[in-house]
Amino acid sequence: FHCPSAPLEKPVVDTVGAGDSYLGAFVYFMARGLEIEEAMRKATVIAGISVQGKGTQPLKRSKTNTTRTARSRFPSTNQSYGSSKNPPT
């Protein structure tokens, strides 16, 4: 599988934690029952957000802001990020 990177709103500042962010988001979305390609797209957006600030903690974002960012980068994204509509089974 290949998933292109999502365009960033801000320049890359620090890549520490980007892989962890991607993997955590990917596993989360797969556990929620998303198809692998959609989980990859969403995880890519999360990892992209994580590199736009120094360190790992200051970039906490709300579900609404993350979903809005993802939809602007991948218009086909129709589910919210962190939605409980598809709980793990």
Side-chain angles (χ1 to χ4, degrees), residues 3-75:
C3 182
S5 63
L8 301 176
E9 295 173 337
K10 301 175 186 174
V12 173
V13 174
D14 188 353
T15 60
V16 171
D20 294 333
S21 295
Y22 178 88
L23 184 57
F26 178 76
V27 169
Y28 174 85
F29 294 125
M30 289 297 295
R32 295 274 182 281
L34 272 64
E35 296 293 326
I36 191 168
E37 292 87 356
E38 186 69 11
M40 288 170 62
R41 281 193 293 273
K42 289 184 174 196
T44 298
V45 172
I46 299 297
I49 290 168
S50 77
V51 301
Q52 295 178 28
K54 187 89 174 130
T56 57
Q57 295 303 313
L59 288 171
K60 293 180 181 176
R61 293 172 56 119
S62 72
K63 182 176 84 170
T64 301
N65 286 341
T66 302
T67 300
R68 185 178 305 124
T69 299
R71 286 185 178 151
S72 72
R73 295 179 191 174
F74 289 107

